[in-house]
Amino acid sequence: MAVAKKTKKKSPPKNTKRSPGKRALFFLFKLFLWFFGVSLFFVILFKFVPVPFTPLMAFRAVEHNSENKEMICSHDWVSLEEISPNLQKAVIASEDGNFLEHSGFDFKSMQKAFESNQKGKKLKGGSTISQQTAKNVFLWQGRSYLRKGLEAYFTVLIELIWGKERIMEVYLNSIEMGDGVYGAQSAAKHWYKKDAKNLTKYEAAGIAAILPNPRRYKAINSSSYINKRKAKISKYIGYVKLDY
């Protein structure tokens, strides 16, 4: 007697298509992974390799071109050992007195700047040297929440991966110190016709004094406002101890 074989019922094919919401989330997750990987790569790379140029340098070059000006970009990278301790101390005294103590953010200074701005006084920034370095090397200029958020992200990375000494080295080699002048060596040559390692206290104070607006102010033949800043910074240089 023949026994009839039982045929297995085929289960209906599973619907593998993701909903639009899930696809969007998956895309954002992949985008985040790519961004994290690429940003981490460049942060690690620039721990060992000199930063060749910054977004601000490119922006200034385009700006000069649009204004029919000569496209100047003076930028000579030197090691921290070739930059006078006077300049290192001067920028700490001028820009970030707690640079060697904080972990990238000086919340007290940020709070003071916020309160001052709320009172309608002249706009002040509470950015540390670490934050300024993160912005100059990796980001564009501006005050948007997106840019500030990315600035905080890169600040945490460079504090963890670079450390204070490397942050100072990159900062002093990358920031704008005159119109088309970037970094300590170029600034020393531009303003004082000497190498950065030979800057005196007062000369270093002159460069540090113009950093709030290096295209408007001059380190030599300065205004009374800048001369007052020079004197104040020169006074505080002696109290700064470099303990990287």
Side-chain angles (χ1 to χ4, degrees):
M1 183 178 177
V3 179
K5 291 183 179 180
K6 291 183 179 179
T7 58
K8 292 183 179 180
K9 291 183 179 180
K10 292 183 179 180
S11 57
K14 294 181 179 179
N15 185 9
T16 56
K17 290 184 178 180
R18 294 188 180 96
S19 65
K22 287 184 178 180
R23 286 202 300 270
L25 287 174
F26 185 67
F27 172 78
L28 290 174
F29 179 68
K30 287 201 299 183
L31 191 64
F32 167 78
L33 289 180
W34 271 102
F35 171 75
F36 178 73
V38 171
S39 60
L40 187 61
F41 169 78
F42 279 106
V43 170
I44 294 173
L45 177 68
F46 290 145
K47 178 178 173 64
F48 306 102
V49 176
V51 179
F53 64 90
T54 66
L56 180 60
M57 293 177 193
F59 175 79
R60 291 287 188 239
V62 172
E63 191 176 56
H64 286 166
N65 185 54
S66 65
E67 295 174 358
N68 295 319
K69 293 181 180 179
E70 184 181 357
M71 294 173 64
I72 302 172
C73 184
S74 178
H75 180 224
D76 297 316
W77 183 282
V78 293
S79 67
L80 193 61
E81 288 73 23
E82 296 178 80
I83 299 175
S84 170
N86 289 324
L87 185 57
Q88 299 175 46
K89 293 178 181 181
V91 295
I92 291 175
S94 172
E95 297 292 298
D96 185 3
N98 296 316
F99 172 67
L100 296 171
E101 282 75 45
H102 63 62
S103 298
F105 307 93
D106 189 341
F107 294 105
K108 288 184 178 179
S109 294
M110 291 167 69
Q111 180 64 28
K112 287 180 181 178
F114 175 77
E115 290 173 355
S116 177
N117 296 338
Q118 287 294 101
K119 291 177 182 177
K121 296 181 180 180
K122 185 178 179 181
L123 284 177
K124 294 182 179 180
S127 294
T128 62
I129 285 175
S130 302
Q131 288 174 277
Q132 292 179 47
T133 305
K135 178 187 70 176
N136 286 333
V137 174
F138 299 106
L139 301 169
W140 64 94
Q141 303 297 305
R143 293 179 175 273
S144 68
Y145 288 112
L146 173 62
R147 208 271 296 154
K148 291 298 289 184
L150 291 173
E151 177 187 295
Y153 165 77
F154 279 107
T155 298
V156 171
L157 283 185
I158 64 175
E159 280 280 343
L160 290 173
I161 296 173
W162 290 2
K164 295 295 186 182
E165 189 170 4
R166 179 60 175 176
I167 290 172
M168 178 60 74
E169 184 173 55
V170 174
Y171 176 78
L172 286 177
N173 274 289
S174 303
I175 59 172
E176 193 173 31
M177 295 180 169
D179 192 11
V181 179
Y182 303 92
Q185 180 67 2
S186 293
K189 293 281 190 181
H190 177 77
W191 294 114
Y192 302 112
K193 313 301 180 187
K194 60 168 60 176
D195 290 324
K197 64 183 177 181
N198 297 322
L199 290 170
T200 65
K201 283 185 180 180
Y202 195 71
E203 289 167 344
I207 292 175
I210 67 172
L211 293 184
N213 196 334
R215 295 202 299 163
R216 176 183 175 186
Y217 302 125
K218 295 180 179 180
I220 57 174
N221 301 320
S222 312
S223 64
S224 58
Y225 168 71
I226 293 299
N227 285 332
K228 288 179 183 177
R229 282 181 56 82
K230 284 184 191 179
K232 186 177 181 180
I233 293 168
S234 297
K235 177 182 176 181
Y236 282 103
I237 283 176
Y239 297 102
V240 178
K241 292 183 179 180
L242 296 177
D243 186 18
Y244 295 120

